Amino acid sequence: MRSPAWVDVACIAAGAVLFLAFSPGNFVVVAVASLAVLFRAVLRASPRRAFWRGWLFGAAGFGAGLWWISESFQYRDIGIGPAAGLTGLLACVLALYPALFAWASARFLGGGGPIPDARANAAAGLWWLPATWTLFEWLRGTLFSGFTWLQVGYAGLESPLASYAPVAGSHAVGLALAATAASVALMGTARPRAIVGAVAVSGLLWAGGMVMAALDVNEGWTQPAGDPVRVLVVQGNVAQDEKWTEQGRRAALDRYSELTARHPGAEVVVWPETAIPYFAARIRPFLRAAGEAAESAGYVLLSGLLSFDPASGGAYNSVAGISSPQSADPPSYYHKRHLVPFSERMPFQAVIAPIARWLRFPTEGFAPGAAQQPPLRAGGHDIAVSICYEITFGASIARDLGNAALLVNVSNDAWFGRTAGPHQHFQMARMRALELGRWLVRSTNTGISAIVTPEGRVAASVPAFEAGVLEFDVPPLEGRTGYARWRDVPVLVLIALLLLIAWRVRARARRTQAALPRP
């Protein structure tokens, strides 16, 4: 591993296997090992070489972990070549985040230059590397509307470290994983006392997670808010290439209506994103009929559909709350706020739109919903509704929780077929339930439709790529977890503290070295 070329290859390999740490693999040890390889490769590298290694790691990681995005292009009449090229371009751009992390780390730790005390410098790395890695992951999920996929915190969902999510969110889980990786990476490079301390801290993090899991930390923050609500989740399994044909649209409406009618007794019925594949104004008779059925059976229907606001001229990806013929005209809406770049909206319109048109890529998009929207009510409770991509942004979901007694997420992952994409998406949705201490009701077109406990566990699910329903008594909850209260603030404060410690460790080492007599 002394040759820079071989270290570069190791970074590519470490990035390429990182996707195995996420669902459906869930091998958390891969996340630790992959980060440890990158951290070790950065430690003695020059800033330029470190940037290159970080970029190789990121390009391989995002390329292997996000290849499934190319599956969606087949429904936009884009060939496999351009689809692969666009997905690869996305991976290359996202790779700039680990590249900048590696460059900043090499600059701080003095890699490739005269190091006053290599072991003391490595000791600074024990604090610097996990803090800076987590900071750049937070930036990736925040800047330019954010992209949260494959943040390492999600890889810890099946581990004891997940217990930190209700306290400080998925980034706290990722920080703990990165701290473990740093202690592994710097074995033999730092002073023994520093290594022992790092291993002890990592051990305490894992042991603390186990203790918190046994105590069920969410129980101290949330309490029952009434009797369980009978929920019916409907999964229509409408093929994506049929969904937007006129025949497919009518068949979808019939299927969802029939599946719902077969299972009376629910208080809340949830249909997936765009289960009603029309603009509301074009299908008012169906909405009124759905309202009559809801009123007669005594439930509230929460269904995805498209809507249009004549006043603003905006089209929206929405969820309608329908409980009577009157509520269906017009329905009570939630409009999606966090839109998918290049799919639901075109960022940097003036620059990118001409290229998109040349690629025959749609440039029209939806308007984002208002930042403040009244909650939908169903089953006698406020419901925190999110649509598809929105569930991947923990701080946004926490900010909008309000007094909601449960979470409802609707999605349509049929775009991505039988790939890892829907599994990764569901993993992120489960993290939201854990962070906020709420039951999550999730309805999707082709899967994964499920009921998730406040501990992030799957209580029940509908088999993927099958039409079916799920009936479950969901306990409403009230109260706020630490993450619901403070969102990402605690982990950002902790990152700042770790960076300060790293700076002090490095500064002390340099003072000590400078005080030594020169030969």
Side-chain angles (χ1 to χ4, degrees):
M1 296 295 291
R2 292 180 181 177
S3 167
W6 281 108
V7 179
D8 294 350
V9 171
C11 289
I12 295 172
V17 300
L18 182 59
F19 76 95
L20 295 173
F22 301 92
S23 190
N26 297 312
F27 298 113
V28 66
V29 67
V30 173
V32 175
S34 294
L35 290 183
V37 170
L38 177 63
F39 292 172
R40 186 66 175 251
V42 165
L43 185 62
R44 299 289 178 85
S46 67
R48 174 183 283 186
R49 176 63 70 172
F51 182 92
W52 174 241
R53 290 173 178 172
W55 188 86
L56 290 174
F57 177 91
F62 290 116
L66 298 176
W67 69 268
W68 47 265
I69 292 177
S70 62
E71 287 283 303
S72 65
F73 289 101
Q74 64 180 298
Y75 303 112
R76 298 184 181 275
D77 297 323
I78 295 177
I80 187 171
L86 289 170
T87 305
L89 178 61
L90 173 64
C92 291
V93 171
L94 293 173
L96 292 174
Y97 286 98
L100 290 170
F101 151 76
W103 176 85
S105 297
R107 289 277 297 178
F108 178 81
L109 298 174
I115 304 175
D117 186 334
R119 287 181 175 268
N121 228 41
L126 290 168
W127 305 94
W128 173 273
L129 291 170
T132 310
W133 173 266
T134 307
L135 176 61
F136 273 93
E137 285 215 315
W138 181 83
L139 290 172
R140 175 163 64 85
T142 305
L143 299 179
F144 310 114
S145 87
F147 189 84
T148 55
W149 237 273
L150 300 184
Q151 290 176 336
V152 295
Y154 294 106
L157 183 60
E158 307 291 346
S159 77
L161 298 179
S163 300
Y164 297 109
V167 181
S170 62
H171 286 300
V173 182
L175 180 60
L177 280 171
T180 306
S183 66
V184 172
L186 300 179
M187 288 288 185
T189 63
R191 290 171 175 169
R193 186 169 59 182
I195 291 295
V196 170
V199 171
V201 169
S202 296
L204 287 174
L205 286 172
W206 286 79
M210 294 178 188
V211 171
M212 292 173 68
L215 295 176
D216 191 2
V217 66
N218 271 342
E219 283 192 354
W221 278 315
T222 61
Q223 309 83 35
D227 296 331
V229 177
R230 188 70 170 176
V231 174
L232 181 71
V233 176
V234 185
Q235 179 174 294
N237 192 36
V238 180
Q240 189 64 28
D241 56 356
E242 300 175 0
K243 181 171 182 176
W244 297 101
T245 66
E246 189 59 31
Q247 183 178 359
R249 288 175 171 182
R250 291 293 173 181
L253 295 181
D254 292 341
R255 183 175 302 175
Y256 282 107
S257 299
E258 290 170 6
L259 287 171
T260 302
R262 291 179 197 169
H263 298 82
E267 298 172 75
V268 180
V269 176
V270 186
W271 293 0
E273 179 184 18
T274 59
I276 302 174
Y278 288 93
F279 278 94
R282 288 189 55 194
I283 198 158
R284 292 196 187 281
F286 175 82
L287 294 178
R288 284 193 290 270
E292 291 172 359
E295 184 177 55
S296 175
Y299 62 76
V300 176
L301 170 63
L302 301 178
S303 176
L305 82 173
L306 305 177
S307 61
F308 180 79
D309 182 6
S312 65
Y316 298 96
N317 186 353
S318 307
V319 168
I322 303 171
S323 58
S324 69
Q326 290 74 32
S327 71
D329 189 18
S332 175
Y333 285 125
Y334 166 78
H335 300 309
K336 187 176 183 181
R337 285 174 281 203
H338 211 131
L339 301 175
V340 181
F342 303 103
S343 177
E344 294 178 315
R345 68 173 183 86
M346 186 62 63
F348 310 112
Q349 183 83 12
V351 176
I352 296 178
I355 301 173
R357 284 192 289 268
W358 178 70
L359 291 169
R360 294 187 298 170
F361 199 88
T363 58
E364 300 80 11
F366 292 109
Q372 299 294 327
Q373 300 182 48
L376 298 182
R377 284 190 64 82
H381 299 279
D382 286 351
I383 308 295
V385 175
S386 60
I387 301 175
C388 191
Y389 184 64
E390 289 183 311
I391 198 69
T392 69
F393 294 91
S396 296
I397 300 296
R399 181 194 61 219
D400 299 327
L401 179 65
N403 296 318
L406 65 148
L407 307 175
V408 168
N409 175 245
V410 300
S411 187
N412 175 29
D413 289 347
W415 291 96
F416 309 111
R418 300 176 185 270
T419 67
H423 294 275
Q424 294 172 5
H425 195 187
F426 183 47
Q427 183 179 47
M428 301 168 86
R430 289 171 56 200
M431 183 64 82
R432 300 291 87 80
L434 175 61
E435 287 174 341
L436 302 180
R438 293 294 192 275
W439 287 78
L440 168 68
V441 177
R442 190 168 192 259
S443 179
T444 70
N445 178 18
T446 56
I448 303 168
S449 298
I451 305 293
V452 179
T453 73
E455 295 75 35
R457 303 189 189 100
V458 181
S461 63
V462 182
F465 298 99
E466 293 183 15
V469 301
L470 184 63
E471 292 182 271
F472 203 90
D473 290 324
V474 178
L477 297 172
E478 61 184 3
R480 302 176 74 81
T481 64
Y483 188 68
R485 297 168 188 265
W486 308 305
R487 302 195 285 280
D488 291 329
V489 171
V491 79
L492 292 174
V493 170
L494 183 56
I495 287 171
L497 179 61
L498 293 175
L499 294 177
L500 177 62
I501 293 172
W503 178 80
R504 290 181 63 86
V505 169
R506 191 190 66 164
R508 184 171 57 186
R510 291 182 182 275
R511 287 196 301 269
T512 301
Q513 186 71 15
L516 295 176
R518 296 182 181 273

